[in-house]
Amino acid sequence: MRFPLFAAVCILLRTTVAVFADEAWNVDYHYALLGEPQEETTFFHQPNPTSKASLIYTLSKRGVVGAVNPRDGSVVWRQLLSPNLTSSTDRGFLRAGEGQDTIVSGYGSQVAAWSAADGRLAWTVDTHGPLKDVEILELSDGKIESGAKDVVALSGGGSPAVQRLDGASGAVKWQHKFQEGDEVYQLSASTTEVFAILLHKTVLGYIKIRVVSLDPVNGRKTDEYTLSSEKELASAETIISVGANSASPIVAWTDAAHSVLKINIIGTKTVSSYNIEKQDGQPVEKIRIHAPYHANSLSHFLVNYQTATSHWADIYHIDHTRSITQLAYSLPNIAGQGSFSTSTSDANVYFTRITQDELITVSSASHGVLGRWTIDNLGLVSAPHEAIVPTHTVSELSVKGDSVSAIRTAVLLSTGDWVLLRDSKPVWARPEALADIRSATFATPSVLEDFQHKLDVETHRNFVGAYLHRVKRHLEELKHLPSYMSSMPQRFISGFLGTTDEGAMASDSFGFHKVIVCATGNGRLMALDAGSASRVLWSRRAVDLDSSESWQPGLSSRADVIVLERGSGKSRQTFNATNGDPLPGIPDTHDLQSGLGVQYTLRDGVLEATRTDKANAGSVWHFTPMADERILHLVPRPVNDPVASIGKVLGDRRVLYKYLDSNLALLATANDASTSAQFYVLDTITGSILHSSAHSGVDLQAPISSILSENWFAYSYTAEASDASTKGHHLVVGEMFESLVPNDRGGLNAATNFSTVQSGTDPFTLVQTYQIPEAISKMAVTQTRQGITSRQLLAVLADVEAIVGIPYNALDPRRPVNRAPTKDEQMEGLVQYEPVIEFDPKWFLNHQREVLGIENVMTNPALIESTSIVFAYGLDIFGTRLSPSFSFDILGKDFNKFQMLATVAALAVATFVVAPLVMRKQVNTRWQFT
Ligand SMILES: *[C@@H]1O[C@H](CO)[C@@H](O)[C@H](O)[C@H]1NC(C)=O
Ligand SMILES: *[C@@H]1O[C@H](CO)[C@@H](O)[C@H](O)[C@H]1NC(C)=O
Ligand SMILES: *[C@@H]1O[C@H](CO)[C@@H](O)[C@H](O)[C@H]1NC(C)=O
């Protein structure tokens, strides 16, 4: 009869075993991003000649080459070409030969070939000069030795040259060097020749286009001639580059006013000249040429003209016999911005035009429309008060008879979203603008803000007042009872089945659904929901940037107001975090930064601190590093860093008092001459140094990161190999106390009234060094509402594309060295010191996902004490919730209401059944005679 109870215990036990696994992929989210695709380096291509389905390949603005599955928008593979994301201005090149199973990228000075199916590196070659062009040779002699088509690369710099690289190995087959003086510009290859286009600067400062034709077999110069006349081209910007591998490559240029278009078929010396007519009296702002990229396609091309208000296009055919271009037909002028793409099918060429509301496809041969679709909604992401326009497109189509039966178009929108349209229906959207976040902040949506305010009132009143307030709050909440009751059945069922909706922001009583507002490199603000995966709440244009302008915005927030600062000292704008609406008022900065007494500037290598309040402005102190030292970075204590207890309770209930000062900062400097790094803990009010340490033999190319929180700091560096030790990564943790004697406050003992400026007691610092298996590129620390929960050090491991959360326990400098911990120390949770910290697989926040290019990690407290919200950005976006001391104030997702109710029911039944039996037994015992 014990069985039901036993079964119930078993059920409960079984469910508590799996605590972690079901939270992964549930509380966390990850966007594997590529960055905004670029027009010239994005195309559909079949990963190998036998496959029917093609992938979309791109080399993005962020220097990532990758393949995306057009069916669902998932990344098939990607490779980061530049470790230096923010400073890359390189456009790069990406080419795929017809019927080839590798794709070739050119970036910086590196040419690399990647397996198109899985992104494995086939070979890489350094050309020792900035690449100007990379092309694949489609030769008509058909002599492909190893199956892979050869590559030609044009590099500039000190010794400009063209190189032919073997398609299978990357070995240099020949090299043609140019004399210095002319700027190398572009490569074009026909089936029989390789042309290098050079820009020759004349005495008057104009530019002449010079074409050098080379023999593809041995790289010898076969011809050289100059195209444009004197005084025709003032700058290279008006040359319209054209794809290389068409049957007859062309070069086109225009004058600064965009009034004449000149076109030359490369290899011939005739230049055709076309007057550009103005439409609607608006000057032409941009001209683009779209041509097929295949050597066996018809030699037709499209010239797209764009004015501020409208766009149109002319289609030209090349007459090979007479070596001239002829205007075939025109596509009419349409208001607004539009974009064109080129597709091929056998030798036929098709042009697809996309505008805000329409998609049409024409054949290059004649103007008859082969397919027309109406677009209802170009943007999947809501961006009100804003016209979303297509920036550039690539299409893949299948033609049946005289019409296009299906078309897939990947469009980059002006919002930075990359959208795939099947016919005219959006199938997926990738928010690629998020790959370039310049600044981000957490904000509290207004719903949550009200609730948080009420809770704050309760914590700060005496308990009678707080109780009354709480009763009042519950009475107020009664008015939501009818709607609550009506949603009851649904809630009951979902609670019963454990399918509670995580997405609801309105019913977020744990404070998980904070708003993360990000300022992106394309001048937009985008808001994400910190609590639910993959949701862009709103997106809006914040500033209009020139294409060349790079901005360094600052974002901060107060409750549900976002303040955007356009670079230092520039104008400020405010927005509502809940919906992104601009707000009229500009808040006083002082309000936002109350508590911060000083601000720092780095001028001529000297760190200068000035007061923030304007009435009392002036420099407070300077930090001048020693000769040859340069300042790496300064990490202040987080503004919001609540500390629950001023002491550390030891195993024997005595207390070590923490050295707590909200005005602390950790400064790191490097000395390149002696390859050493120095770390200083500064009091930012007085500028005094509270602790310093120096390490020699430091690899200054490797990342150096640091963090300061509560009364402890941590930093990491990579030590070079020396006689005594091998190369390795080190993590140093220091904890500061008022005194190292328990129950003693040192110099502060009797002070009731204390000022750092006057008394200046120094902390006692315990320091411990650990060896770690990976270099840490960035550190952060978890934040909770009241700071009761223990902290975790969050470390970005760039080399393994991961983020780990290291519990402070593992780092504690008080871990006993060379001896086992005493009973008291065990009570505290201290374990014996080990010089090496291995990263426990459970510490990896990203689990098995690769989080690429993370540059910053931010944390923010949830409403419940146990939980800290984490958001990491860089190239990828990663977010999660952490409970460093486990979720002591919330039932986990694994808590199964059904099983609990079933157990209670089973127990009730058992009691009901067993009770009479027990009663009978007792009665029997009484009446039994022995
Ligand atoms: C990265 O960028 C910095 C700053 O722009 C530059 O000094 C450094 O040389 C770059 N590193 C690489 C590997 O490109
Ligand atoms: C922001 O918008 C929300 C929802 O429209 C509104 O409730 C809130 O009051 C607004 N906040 C401010 C500061 O205007
Ligand atoms: C704090 O100390 C200063 C100087 O030692 C004194 O002038 C001031 O009145 C003291 N304040 C309090 C609240 O005791």
Side-chain angles (χ1 to χ4, degrees), residues 420-646:
L420 186 107
L421 303 175
R422 184 177 293 137
D423 295 342
S424 63
K425 299 267 173 313
V427 182
W428 49 258
R430 297 177 53 88
E432 295 296 348
L434 289 175
D436 187 13
I437 294 179
R438 300 287 167 87
S439 177
T441 183
F442 280 97
T444 319
S446 38
V447 201
L448 196 58
E449 175 61 22
D450 292 347
F451 185 56
Q452 182 166 348
H453 181 70
K454 284 177 192 155
L455 291 185
D456 280 344
V457 169
E458 277 162 31
T459 18
H460 289 110
R461 287 211 184 150
N462 64 29
F463 86 97
V464 180
Y467 182 74
L468 289 178
H469 186 273
R470 189 181 184 120
V471 170
K472 221 170 85 193
R473 175 159 67 86
H474 286 313
L475 284 177
E476 258 173 41
E477 278 170 7
L478 270 185
K479 70 174 183 245
H480 303 301
L481 188 66
S483 64
Y484 182 79
M485 291 297 280
S486 65
S487 69
M488 220 27 203
Q490 186 52 44
R491 289 176 75 101
F492 187 72
I493 290 170
S494 59
F496 211 65
L497 302 176
T499 56
T500 327
D501 177 24
E502 282 268 319
M505 196 173 256
S507 63
D508 174 27
S509 44
F510 303 133
F512 294 158
H513 294 275
K514 296 231 170 164
V515 178
I516 300 165
V517 181
C518 312
T520 56
N522 60 355
R524 301 184 68 82
L525 288 182
M526 293 176 82
L528 301 170
D529 179 351
S532 47
S534 316
R535 214 150 57 105
V536 175
L537 297 173
W538 52 264
S539 159
R540 78 174 297 131
R541 174 157 294 282
V543 294
D544 284 313
L545 297 173
D546 297 337
S547 54
S548 59
E549 194 180 346
S550 118
W551 71 319
Q552 290 307 327
L555 272 182
S556 51
S557 72
R558 188 181 40 173
D560 66 341
V561 178
I562 300 294
V563 183
L564 170 72
E565 204 166 332
R566 288 193 65 173
S568 61
K570 290 211 187 127
S571 61
R572 259 176 242 276
Q573 282 168 283
T574 49
F575 299 89
N576 184 333
T578 313
N579 49 25
D581 288 344
L583 298 173
I586 305 286
D588 193 358
T589 17
H590 200 70
D591 265 13
L592 281 161
Q593 300 184 333
S594 58
L596 279 184
V598 286
Q599 64 186 26
Y600 323 98
T601 39
L602 188 60
R603 197 171 298 140
D604 303 331
V606 175
L607 184 73
E608 184 180 2
T610 47
R611 283 194 194 87
T612 44
D613 67 82
K614 290 210 180 68
N616 219 341
S619 160
V620 192
W621 50 263
H622 289 87
F623 182 92
T624 314
M626 279 184 270
D628 295 338
E629 261 182 54
R630 64 189 162 93
I631 292 178
L632 291 175
H633 53 246
L634 177 84
V635 188
R637 211 180 132 187
V639 178
N640 178 16
D641 190 23
V643 176
S645 158
I646 60 162

Side-chain angles (χ1 to χ4, degrees), residues 139-151:
L139 292 180
S140 56
D141 62 5
K143 265 195 274 160
I144 299 171
E145 283 147 31
S146 51
K149 291 178 185 172
D150 286 357
V151 176

Side-chain angles (χ1 to χ4, degrees), residues 659-858:
Y659 185 87
L660 292 170
D661 184 345
S662 49
N663 303 299
L664 292 182
L666 182 66
L667 177 77
T669 65
N671 186 330
D672 295 300
S674 66
T675 61
S676 63
Q678 291 75 29
F679 299 88
Y680 304 93
V681 178
L682 301 178
D683 181 323
T684 58
I685 296 295
T686 62
S688 60
I689 297 174
L690 300 178
H691 171 83
S692 73
S693 52
H695 302 275
S696 55
V698 173
D699 179 359
L700 294 174
Q701 304 307 315
I704 291 179
S705 57
S706 53
I707 188 84
L708 185 94
S709 169
E710 217 180 343
N711 65 325
W712 58 273
F713 58 87
Y715 56 82
S716 79
Y717 61 90
T718 302
E720 292 281 15
S722 69
D723 296 342
S725 65
T726 51
K727 185 161 183 158
H729 312 291
H730 294 252
L731 175 63
V732 179
V733 182
E735 188 162 4
M736 296 173 287
F737 295 98
E738 288 179 357
S739 151
L740 292 181
V741 182
N743 284 353
D744 175 60
R745 299 205 61 177
L748 293 177
N749 218 353
T752 49
N753 171 1
F754 161 73
S755 151
T756 16
V757 183
Q758 283 158 18
S759 55
T761 40
D762 283 353
F764 293 84
T765 311
L766 291 177
V767 180
Q768 197 55 275
T769 305
Y770 299 93
Q771 286 233 4
I772 47 173
E774 294 290 338
I776 297 176
S777 61
K778 184 83 193 171
M779 288 184 188
V781 65
T782 54
Q783 275 183 32
T784 56
R785 204 160 127 80
Q786 284 157 325
I788 301 169
T789 304
S790 59
R791 283 166 167 79
Q792 268 185 16
L793 176 72
L794 306 180
V796 178
L797 314 177
D799 293 342
V800 290
E801 290 140 13
I803 304 173
V804 289
I806 310 171
Y808 186 73
N809 248 4
L811 303 173
D812 200 323
R814 294 182 52 251
R815 282 174 67 173
V817 181
N818 287 338
R819 62 174 175 83
T822 62
K823 256 217 170 73
D824 283 345
E825 282 168 339
Q826 277 174 0
M827 293 266 286
E828 253 190 274
L830 289 176
V831 287
Q832 184 172 347
Y833 170 76
E834 301 267 358
V836 178
I837 295 186
E838 291 294 347
F839 295 143
D840 188 323
K842 281 205 290 287
W843 295 353
F844 283 76
L845 308 186
N846 50 312
H847 305 288
Q848 74 219 38
R849 291 167 287 201
E850 285 181 348
V851 286
L852 227 60
I854 295 296
E855 286 171 353
N856 203 0
V857 180
M858 306 192 317

